[in-house]
Amino acid sequence: MEVFNYPAWNLISFERGSAIPLYQQLFAQLRGLIADGRIPRGARLPPSRMLSDELAISRSTVVLAYEKLATEGYLQKRVGSGTFVEQVFPEDHVLRPAIIQPAGKRRPARPSVHAEALLALDVPPERIERFGLSPGIPALNELPYEVFARLAGQHWRAHAASHTGYDYTRATLPLGRQIAAYLEETRGILCHPEQVIILSSTVQTAAMAAHVLMNQGERVLLEDPCHVTQLATLTACGLRVEPVPVDDQGFDITAIIRSSLPARLAIVSSVEQFPFGCTMSAPRRQALLDWAVAEDGWILEDDFNSEIRWSGAPVAPLYAGNSGRVIYTSSFNRVLAPGLRLAYLVAPPELIEAFKLAQRIFSFYAPLPDQALVTEFMSSGHFASHLRRMRAIYRERAGTLADCLRDRLGSDFIVPDVRAGLHLTIRSHQPFDDRAVSKRLLDHEMDCPPLSRYCRSALKRYGFVLGFGNNPVKRIRRYAEILARTIEELG
């Protein structure tokens, strides 16, 4: 019998309980050995039966791995002779330019001043949806995937060429009409479909507002604690960000008015502000609107939590009270799924062209096929039905989390009643190292960002921003217990 005595065979091993099929594991390891030169070019490989006996796997597993390697250009089958490693690999055809070393001493790469400012902001990482209590994530398993699959199939079978080209202005109008009708019915906002600009996130809205409304170096007012990614966006646009503390009554413009501090833009969330969790009171709302009129300023209203409300009277958006000085923005990323990357803003009529030009320059677009899918989802009544169903689910999950936290932490933390949104923020009566607790919770696969990380001014708050949207009730009880024990150990 012919012997194929390559030391490489001893390096092959399998994870028998892995979700990755054995032939895929064998393929990946053989390709690595070939690419590394441990199995040389032109070498003959063992017959499939011989290798299967050597590795204690089925012959069909080896055949599948060999066929995949041949398909990708690493093996050649010769009838009557066997299977051989190719002399030329696919990567040999990739042009690799010669590395030219510049003359003189190499200087270390340095980012721009703007980039250094961004690095200093300590921007929180992306949320981890598979971790417990991760805030702002909807119940992803409750999305009606079958409906979306059917609508997507109908869309692509219709061969809508207009949704695969560059004509965003015309192709986005159907979704703009649905959003305008939805805003009128649910939020009391009257606008034309042409005012609705579709983007990927409300953070892009902040960037567009900065470019359209502000000049380099001007001051913008931002809630404190704040959405740090928004802060980073404004900093990158070259604006001076002034933190305005929020309390249980929300954003307080009176301190800015008393200080006569010049500013032309305020960015606020009037309902269940992230991360603090407050809702702006009627007097604060009126004071902010009066400020915008008196200062010829603008308010960017980020209203991403209002759709998800399960108790209490709906809070009218600021836009409904003074649309002339308010730019309204919201998102489908929480009411449906963040992976859709669909948000929108309502631009003032006189600034529509400026906002659309900024959108085109920065390519702040959302994919047209996804827009068409959501358009049909709304027009067919599925969106309203989904919201009604999810409100009941979120009410139960929010109530369970609040009750569990009050039982375990009620004497040390303020645990609010949550009526909207997807997060619940608990605040400590005393300062403590909430960052250390948050870091330890990652070991338990829990994503509970510390409240102090979102604070920008000297006024520090301590606690945790907790999500309940993507957590079944049974897990919420267990996570609340782990959170309480970890605070007791480290707090």
Side-chain angles (χ1 to χ4, degrees), residues 183 189 197 199 201-206 230 267-269 299-305 307 319 326-331 343-347:
L183 291 177
I189 289 177
I197 298 177
L199 312 94
S201 71
T202 55
V203 174
Q204 288 185 351
T205 304
Q230 265 187 352
I267 301 180
V268 301
S269 296
I299 301 167
L300 177 59
E301 180 180 19
D302 193 347
D303 197 30
F304 59 87
N305 272 327
E307 285 89 349
Y319 187 99
V326 180
I327 296 165
Y328 182 89
T329 183
S330 191
S331 168
Y344 56 90
L345 71 86
V346 180

Side-chain angles (χ1 to χ4, degrees), residues 384-436:
S385 175
H386 178 68
L387 281 181
R388 287 192 296 270
R389 188 170 65 88
M390 296 313 300
R391 283 166 182 151
I393 292 174
Y394 293 141
R395 177 175 58 242
E396 181 184 20
R397 294 181 180 184
T400 300
L401 180 58
D403 290 343
C404 291
L405 293 173
R406 289 192 186 103
D407 288 343
R408 293 290 274 116
L409 301 170
S411 59
D412 299 317
F413 285 81
I414 299 171
V415 182
D417 287 319
V418 178
R419 298 180 176 182
L422 293 176
H423 75 282
L424 183 156
T425 299
I426 59 173
R427 289 173 274 145
S428 172
H429 295 296
Q430 302 293 332
F432 75 105
D433 192 352
D434 54 0
R435 295 193 179 211

